[in-house]
Amino acid sequence: MEFAEFYESTRDDCLRIVLLNVGDRHLAHDLVAEAYTRAWMSWRKVRELEVPRAWVVRTALNTHVSWWRRRRREVTLGNHDIAMPAEQASAVSGDLLAVLRRLPARQREVVTLRLLLDLDTETTARVLGIAPGTVGAHLHKAVATLRAAIPSHDSQEISK
Amino acid sequence: MKANDTVAVVRDSLTTAKDSLAGVHMNTPPDAIARNGRARRRWHRLTGLTGAMAVMAGTALAVTALAPSGHTASQSGHPASHPRTAQLAAWTVAKQANGDIKVTIRQLSDPSGLQSTLRADGVPASVTFLGQQDLSCRLYPMTQALFKNIYQAQNAAGSGNTILVIHPSALPSGAGVQIGAALGQQVGDRGLQQADGNQIVHQPVHQVAAGARNVALRVGLVYASQQCTGS
């Protein structure tokens, strides 16, 4: 696959997934652009990966973590985790996404790969370089935390 | 509720949230990604460094360039004093569907790369971040109204980055854009202001180091010429 074809077919989905994780449209756009730039520079290697779009999303999110750690050490200029426009996030998803953004990094990665990129456990484990059982453990903890942010009437309906 | 049901509920909720972003698109064209990649490769070749070494060198260069005393940039900075972490590209350029050029600036580094990228997008441009003026350039008379027609500048939400949108169609015939750094300027939190004749200083940006809080992005107009703006 050529880079342009890959970019065209994956860019919107990757942007939306990163946006869900960081909550700021400008920042998400910049992070994804940066990740694709790195993908372009290493395309021979990236194209051979099992799931290149997972590499892009992980790179964007890792760049965000690195960038945020560095910024915290220097000068506080504001909070990036506030800015998803109200019209784009319902109250329910707003609560859920706030919890998602507060998850430990590894749990958030697992949720992103398993539930947003829809990878299976084995593929997620290979992408992250961890055991499938570890993926399951992270997912279990993360889902329990996220579930608490979803209104209870859903669970009542499903439990019937 | 079974564990699988719980996963399904969370998956459905996250999918719904993602679907609600259907109107959000990555509007950077693939050519812009490739251009940024090429510019960075050129930068790596130019410095003779690759990978993490290049990131460190870029950091040192940026910090030196941002020093309020106006030091000439060189690679003799002190990278060891700066965190060795991955960072975003110093800048990105994206051509919009309507022909506008969106420049996001995070660090005042690689001005020649930014200049060549803007020129490749059809914008006659002169970019100098390091305190030196391009002597081949002559300032073009600027007014506040003209400025507002050509430039739209804003801080990206909470990030301290500056987003500069250039409307090339509003450039007067024979004029080109000039982007530079205003070192040692105290511009406070105001938006745009007139300064130094025809130059406009934008609000403080690139507060990368504690000692560099009075650095601002300076944008203006110059007479277009082959030597100054490339066309």
Side-chain angles (χ1 to χ4, degrees):
Chain A
M1 184 190 296
E2 294 304 315
F3 176 82
E5 182 187 350
F6 165 70
Y7 179 70
E8 292 286 359
S9 63
T10 59
R11 58 181 176 177
D12 286 345
D13 197 47
C14 288
L15 174 64
R16 290 164 194 160
I17 289 171
V18 172
L19 176 54
L20 290 178
N21 275 276
V22 304
D24 179 299
R25 191 190 290 214
H26 284 303
L27 178 63
H29 185 279
D30 289 349
L31 291 169
V32 173
E34 168 67 15
Y36 275 112
T37 299
R38 292 185 193 181
W40 183 90
M41 294 175 72
S42 306
W43 182 237
R44 278 188 205 165
K45 185 183 77 176
V46 173
R47 69 188 294 180
E48 299 301 326
L49 296 176
E50 191 172 3
V51 192
R53 65 196 173 106
W55 186 93
V56 169
V57 170
R58 280 194 78 203
T59 299
L61 295 179
N62 288 340
T63 303
H64 180 232
V65 170
S66 302
W67 176 87
W68 182 245
R69 282 180 183 151
R70 178 166 59 86
R71 195 162 198 87
R72 263 196 321 201
R73 282 201 292 270
E74 290 163 351
V75 56
T76 301
L77 291 176
N79 185 352
H80 270 298
D81 297 337
I82 58 174
M84 181 176 289
E87 70 274 13
Q88 291 173 9
S90 67
V92 174
S93 64
D95 290 346
L96 179 66
L97 297 179
V99 174
L100 173 68
R101 289 168 204 148
R102 287 198 297 269
L103 287 177
R106 186 59 104 185
Q107 288 185 28
R108 196 147 47 92
E109 274 189 318
V110 168
V111 168
T112 299
L113 296 182
R114 284 281 286 110
L115 305 185
L116 288 169
L117 280 167
D118 211 20
L119 305 186
D120 60 33
T121 299
E122 286 69 28
T123 307
T124 300
R126 285 194 294 274
V127 167
L128 295 178
I130 59 179
T134 309
V135 170
H138 282 305
L139 185 66
H140 178 76
K141 286 181 189 169
V143 163
T145 306
L146 292 166
R147 181 66 185 84
I150 301 172
S152 58
H153 67 269
D154 285 353
S155 63
Q156 287 166 4
E157 290 174 5
I158 291 168
S159 299
K160 282 175 186 173
Chain B
M1 186 186 297
K2 293 178 183 175
N4 283 348
D5 292 337
T6 307
V7 171
V9 169
V10 172
R11 184 199 303 270
D12 287 348
S13 296
L14 288 172
T15 302
T16 301
K18 191 172 83 165
D19 290 346
S20 73
L21 300 176
V24 176
H25 297 284
M26 183 75 190
N27 54 13
T28 303
D31 290 352
I33 297 288
R35 269 201 306 276
N36 284 341
R38 282 191 206 98
R40 205 176 304 177
R41 271 188 187 162
R42 277 198 302 273
W43 172 248
H44 288 181
R45 280 194 212 108
L46 194 66
T47 57
L49 300 167
T50 58
M53 289 291 288
V55 170
M56 288 166 57
T59 302
L61 192 65
V63 171
T64 309
L66 290 168
S69 56
H71 294 157
T72 301
S74 72
Q75 290 180 29
S76 60
H78 303 286
S81 67
H82 209 71
R84 297 181 182 191
T85 52
Q87 55 189 317
L88 299 171
W91 44 261
T92 46
V93 175
K95 191 166 189 176
Q96 312 292 296
N98 63 0
D100 289 349
I101 306 293
K102 177 185 168 189
V103 185
T104 303
I105 299 180
R106 304 176 192 84
Q107 282 193 343
L108 298 177
S109 62
D110 191 16
S112 60
L114 177 57
Q115 177 176 280
S116 59
T117 302
L118 288 171
R119 289 178 182 180
D121 271 333
V123 180
S126 170
V127 182
T128 54
F129 284 160
L130 308 181
Q132 79 277 30
Q133 288 289 330
D134 185 343
L135 297 177
S136 65
C137 292
R138 287 187 303 126
L139 300 181
Y140 189 99
M142 171 79 95
T143 65
Q144 193 76 7
L146 189 54
F147 179 87
K148 287 181 177 175
N149 284 339
I150 299 167
Y151 296 109
Q152 181 188 345
Q154 55 192 260
N155 265 12
S159 68
N161 298 335
T162 289
I163 295 172
L164 182 68
V165 178
I166 302 170
H167 309 296
S169 59
L171 278 172
S173 176
V177 307
Q178 184 185 45
I179 300 176
L183 299 171
Q185 296 279 342
Q186 296 289 346
V187 292
D189 291 329
R190 286 167 293 184
L192 304 167
Q193 66 172 312
Q194 191 90 26
D196 301 346
N198 73 340
Q199 297 285 302
I200 303 289
V201 175
H202 183 240
Q203 59 207 75
V205 291
H206 317 299
Q207 298 172 344
V208 177
R213 288 179 180 169
N214 53 354
V215 178
L217 188 68
R218 177 191 286 260
V219 292
L221 289 181
V222 288
Y223 283 99
S225 69
Q226 192 65 41
Q227 288 171 314
C228 172
T229 60
S231 62

